Amino acid sequence: MKRRDFLVSTFASALAISALDFKQAHAYNIPYNGLIDIQMNGKSQYLDDYTPFIDENNRTMVPLRFVSEKFGRTVDWHEESRYAIIRDDDSKALYFPVHSNFYIRNDGETIEMDTESVIHNNRLYIPLRYLAEELSLRVDFTFNNNKPLIVLEDKLYINSRNPDLKSYSVYPFNATILYTYNDLVADLNWLKRYYGDVLDIHSMGKSTSGEYDIWGIRLGNGEKVATAHGAMHGNEWLNIPILIEQIKEYASLYKSNGYYQGKNVRQLLDDVSIHFIPSVNPDGTALCQFGAYAFPQRAEELYRLNNNHVPAGYDFTRWKANINGVDLNRNMDTGMRELLRDDISNRRRPGFLEPTYAFFMGDDVESEVESKILCNHYRQKNSVLLLDYHSSGRILYWNFSNTNYNRQDDGSFVQVPDLLTTQARKIASAMSSVTGYINHDASAVHNNTTINRWGTYRLQIPSITVETTNVVDVQRTVGAMKFMNAYFNERSRVLYATLTAVAAI
């Protein structure tokens, strides 16, 4: 068997990770009662029955699945052979057998450990030092309220807090408040574990960078499909956790055969399924949250794009586009691209006719991977509803360009059936009643190239833009408490918005 010298990560100083600091706590007049808290990327974790402990070999043991999934890995359990597999997006896999003092990498290398993995509280626990090394985590031991605390941080989180990096995010609050891609994956893993029997959770493809999956989650068995997608704009990532909360609530009602507004949720969703796409633009969100450091190989190019037309320096918090500088919400074929180009030129905003932080339509329709994935989903499914979640204004927009402004590039006019307008009005009214949002007929909005107009004109299905909050306009200046209050307030407002829309079809 082979063994490597332990190094927590290539970017952190070596730490002697053992239980000694905790068991010798009495030297600092701190009582040690065997309970250990854990903090991951600045967020305290509710452990319940996942509490770390110290084994008879004086080693700190942590729950494999809980820690791995919190840092964006997936974990599979093989009951027959009694081992767990940790996987990441780079095809790396680690095999941890139960009651063994070794684990195996997918390249065949066997790594010895100085204590055995064990089953504790029906969970597989392994030594922290080896898991930290494999996940490239920085580890620290400290005390919080006289209680031992393990602090785990990954590289992206560490650098997001480093003021010496020009590319760090300039949000006015600590990065722990951000809802990152790893948080999304952790929530999806939680959903798989508790609602995997009623949810179909799948990757719809990779983002342009190839570093992130675009996830789809389907609930219900209905052939007709209503879709709610969010975060087409990178800086509107607040809707990702909002949509995840909707999934959790609806899955619970579906599984328990519960009711909403007098309707059986299972029967409702077995007639019209809901397909969620919480994060259409994960590259753009990573740029918004962490700056160009998120993609160091393209940092110079991204700095240039971020300063095109309206300079912003190293502040990426306004970033809407994907990593190519294309605004995904303007990359659809609505028949009005040339009209919009003329409009941009007439307003003397030529910077938006080339890649930049927002508004650029792209060189061709559906030129971007993310746009193709989203549009193909709507085209290939039996779509009956398009809900486009954004973050500006607490307004429901529908009926885009359905009066005098529906002229196409070729000079023709497209008329939307009256029945479609009536359906959209009915659904928007129902959503307005539960959210308190303004119900806005957008027929007077001209030269619109968004996916809302694409769904209305090309697919001819009810298409509604849900602007959940005005926080996107102020999140660069408000404090952490105001930002979090906005999230919790908005989450409660729109918790049943999508389900209400489906019920109104």
Side-chain angles (χ1 to χ4, degrees):
M1 293 184 180
K2 300 179 181 179
R3 174 172 175 160
R4 297 189 310 173
D5 293 334
F6 169 63
L7 184 65
V8 173
S9 68
T10 58
F11 59 91
S13 59
L15 293 168
I17 302 177
S18 71
L20 294 178
D21 290 331
F22 291 163
K23 288 197 170 180
Q24 293 177 354
H26 64 274
Y28 304 94
N29 296 318
I30 299 176
Y32 173 68
N33 60 5
L35 299 178
I36 304 173
D37 284 338
I38 190 166
Q39 185 183 90
M40 302 183 192
N41 280 351
K43 298 178 181 178
S44 297
Q45 303 297 319
Y46 177 71
L47 295 172
D48 194 17
D49 56 348
Y50 298 98
T51 305
F53 68 92
I54 297 169
D55 73 358
E56 65 276 8
N57 293 319
N58 217 27
R59 294 294 176 259
T60 303
M61 308 292 286
V62 295
L64 177 146
R65 180 185 292 275
F66 183 83
V67 175
S68 300
E69 290 183 348
K70 284 293 183 180
F71 285 102
R73 275 57 168 192
T74 58
V75 178
D76 295 318
W77 171 253
H78 290 255
E79 177 63 30
E80 183 176 349
S81 301
R82 305 285 287 173
Y83 67 86
I85 305 177
I86 303 175
R87 305 181 193 274
D88 64 17
D89 290 336
D90 297 324
S91 300
K92 179 180 179 181
L94 306 168
Y95 299 80
F96 285 87
V98 174
H99 297 302
S100 300
N101 64 348
F102 67 90
Y103 63 94
I104 304 171
R105 299 195 179 113
N106 59 331
D107 62 4
E109 183 178 10
T110 300
I111 310 298
E112 290 184 358
M113 302 186 295
D114 53 11
T115 194
E116 287 189 355
S117 59
V118 296
I119 297 294
H120 178 73
N121 288 340
N122 293 319
R123 304 282 188 268
L124 177 59
Y125 278 68
I126 64 173
L128 171 59
R129 59 181 295 181
Y130 299 97
L131 186 60
E133 176 185 10
E134 294 293 352
L135 302 189
S136 296
L137 305 178
R138 183 168 72 183
V139 183
D140 194 13
F141 283 136
T142 185
F143 292 91
N144 182 35
N145 295 326
N146 291 340
K147 191 175 181 181
L149 176 68
I150 299 172
V151 178
L152 303 178
E153 298 175 334
D154 64 17
K155 187 174 182 179
L156 189 59
Y157 172 76
I158 292 169
N159 283 299
S160 73
R161 298 185 296 120
N162 187 349
D164 297 326
L165 286 173
K166 292 181 178 180
S167 59
Y168 77 110
S169 178
V170 292
Y171 280 106
F173 39 77
N174 191 286
T176 60
I177 293 176
L178 304 179
Y179 186 92
T180 68
Y181 179 81
N182 281 350
D183 292 316
L184 171 61
V185 173
D187 273 336
L188 293 179
N189 285 325
W190 184 90
L191 285 166
K192 286 180 184 177
R193 186 155 65 248
Y194 291 102
Y195 296 106
D197 54 336
V198 298
L199 292 173
D200 174 16
I201 301 175
H202 55 280
S203 172
M204 301 175 68
K206 291 287 188 178
S207 62
T208 296
S209 71
E211 295 188 19
Y212 302 109
D213 284 289
I214 297 173
W215 293 100
I217 304 96
R218 178 166 174 156
L219 175 62
N221 297 310
E223 292 185 6
K224 294 179 289 186
V225 180
T227 299
H229 66 261
M232 291 188 76
H233 289 151
N235 65 338
E236 297 178 9
W237 52 266
L238 194 71
N239 284 323
I240 304 173
I242 285 176
L243 289 176
I244 289 294
E245 288 301 313
Q246 288 188 0
I247 298 169
K248 291 178 180 178
E249 179 68 10
Y250 304 171
S252 175
L253 289 171
Y254 186 95
K255 190 169 184 175
S256 64
N257 207 24
Y259 283 77
Y260 173 66
Q261 291 186 340
K263 295 184 178 181
N264 182 280
V265 172
R266 186 178 299 175
Q267 291 179 2
L268 178 64
L269 299 185
D270 283 345
D271 179 39
V272 180
S273 301
I274 302 179
H275 196 288
F276 292 91
I277 310 174
S279 180
V280 175
N281 183 15
D283 290 347
T285 293
L287 271 172
C288 175
Q289 293 178 338
F290 297 104
Y293 177 79
F295 304 99
Q297 70 280 10
R298 297 184 62 173
E300 184 177 347
E301 172 195 3
L302 291 167
Y303 288 138
R304 177 177 56 80
L305 297 182
N306 194 41
N307 288 280
N308 181 19
H309 189 55
V310 182
Y314 298 104
D315 180 1
F316 279 79
T317 56
R318 69 176 184 175
W319 189 274
K320 289 175 175 283
N322 72 347
I323 194 175
N324 289 336
V326 175
D327 191 324
L328 299 178
N329 201 30
R330 288 163 174 81
N331 196 223
M332 284 73 192
D333 179 15
T334 62
M336 301 183 72
R337 291 172 60 83
E338 294 308 317
L339 289 172
L340 185 62
R341 288 181 189 276
D342 292 341
D343 183 61
I344 289 175
S345 298
N346 292 336
R347 296 187 186 193
R348 298 180 181 178
R349 300 195 300 179
F352 297 134
L353 292 176
E354 59 186 7
T356 182
Y357 70 94
F359 308 121
F360 177 54
M361 296 180 293
D363 293 326
D364 201 357
V365 296
E366 296 180 33
S367 60
E368 306 307 297
V369 169
E370 298 88 351
S371 303
K372 290 178 181 176
I373 289 174
L374 187 60
C375 291
N376 284 337
H377 163 77
Y378 280 108
R379 280 191 290 258
Q380 294 173 4
K381 301 294 183 182
N382 187 15
S383 297
V384 295
L385 177 64
L386 183 157
L387 296 179
D388 179 26
Y389 277 81
H390 287 266
S391 300
S392 186
R394 291 177 178 154
I395 301 176
L396 301 165
Y397 290 108
W398 55 280
N399 204 29
F400 268 115
S401 308
N402 194 23
T403 53
N404 298 323
Y405 301 103
N406 54 2
R407 180 165 62 88
Q408 306 290 281
D409 288 335
D410 60 6
S412 64
F413 287 79
V414 176
Q415 184 62 44
V416 173
D418 291 339
L419 178 60
L420 177 56
T421 301
T422 301
Q423 289 177 324
R425 180 185 295 110
K426 176 184 175 184
I427 295 169
S429 296
M431 296 179 72
S432 178
S433 68
V434 298
T435 62
Y437 288 178
I438 297 171
N439 184 1
H440 185 70
D441 182 341
S443 58
V445 179
H446 68 290
N447 288 3
N448 186 279
T449 60
T450 64
I451 194 170
N452 185 312
R453 189 179 197 280
W454 178 81
T456 302
Y457 277 78
R458 296 304 190 200
L459 301 183
Q460 296 206 346
I461 61 174
S463 302
I464 299 172
T465 297
V466 185
E467 299 282 1
T468 59
T469 179
N470 59 1
V471 75
V472 69
D473 297 326
V474 297
Q475 64 186 16
R476 292 151 64 186
T477 58
V478 301
M481 188 58 66
K482 287 185 178 179
F483 186 77
M484 292 307 293
N485 286 342
Y487 162 66
F488 286 114
N489 181 50
E490 224 59 36
R491 183 180 67 174
S492 62
R493 278 176 174 262
V494 300
L495 182 60
Y496 293 104
T498 299
L499 192 60
T500 299
V502 172
I505 294 176

